[in-house]
Amino acid sequence: MRIAGTKAYPVVGSDPSTAAVDRWHAVGEKVLRYWQENLRLGDWRITLRWNDDRAWDFFGMVTPADGRPEAGVLLWSYLPDEETMERTIVHELTHLVLMDLCRLGEQWREQLPEEMRVVHDAQWSEQIEQAVDHIAMAFDALAGGLISTLDAGE
């Protein structure tokens, strides 16, 4: 998920302690596992990692393994808040839900003449990102999100 004109805020605010970072990472793990289960990705081995580069221009990205139900989710350490973290995790996991469709698009790409691939790549990427974002927001809205239940003490 690419950042769209968002100002970078340190994830731990004015508390850069190891404990604050550990709490942030623990929330990320809890949110990831919640959505992994609810998106029916329980058979996947998904690892969560953090990118500390302030210049990174993504909120997150997912990298699936070839031929195995394994993936890595990389999140930006400076997400502005928990809700953004949750939306980003849902977005990245939705890519896994739609992975077969994405791979089909890649196969179609290989059938195109070289000069058409640039056009295909730009259009395909934009359309997939829009679809994933739309579906992820719908999932989050329907479920009410985990962050709201964490805030309520559940």
Side-chain angles (χ1 to χ4, degrees):
M1 176 178 243
R2 184 173 288 280
I3 299 170
T6 304
K7 184 177 179 185
Y9 295 99
V11 69
V12 293
S14 61
D15 182 7
S17 68
T18 301
V21 172
D22 289 347
R23 281 192 303 276
W24 180 252
H25 291 180
V27 169
E29 280 291 336
K30 187 175 273 192
V31 170
L32 177 74
R33 300 304 161 214
Y34 171 86
W35 282 106
Q36 180 179 1
E37 179 182 331
N38 282 288
L39 294 175
R40 308 296 189 257
L41 295 168
D43 57 331
W44 281 72
R45 192 175 129 231
I46 302 172
T47 57
L48 179 60
R49 292 199 167 76
W50 299 88
N51 184 331
D52 294 330
D53 181 359
R54 287 182 184 267
W56 201 45
D57 64 347
F58 292 89
F59 276 169
M61 65 174 35
V62 64
T63 308
D66 285 332
R68 298 184 315 276
E70 296 178 13
V73 173
L74 183 63
L75 294 181
W76 192 42
S77 294
Y78 301 97
L79 293 170
D81 52 49
E82 290 91 349
E83 288 80 13
T84 303
M85 178 202 298
E86 184 167 24
R87 281 193 305 272
T88 302
I89 288 171
V90 174
H91 175 99
E92 299 309 331
L93 293 180
T94 302
H95 276 290
L96 296 178
V97 172
L98 298 176
M99 188 173 64
D100 289 340
L101 175 63
C102 294
R103 289 201 170 139
L104 183 59
E106 292 169 8
Q107 291 171 1
W108 290 339
R109 177 190 186 277
E110 296 304 315
Q111 305 304 314
L112 294 172
E114 190 66 37
E115 63 274 7
M116 293 294 296
R117 291 182 185 182
V118 174
V119 173
H120 171 273
D121 290 352
Q123 291 175 347
W124 180 255
S125 179
E126 182 179 337
Q127 292 301 314
I128 286 294
E129 283 301 313
Q130 287 178 0
V132 165
D133 218 30
H134 182 84
I135 293 166
M137 286 188 295
F139 285 148
D140 192 41
L142 287 170
L146 176 63
I147 292 301
S148 60
T149 62
L150 289 177
D151 290 343
E154 294 180 18

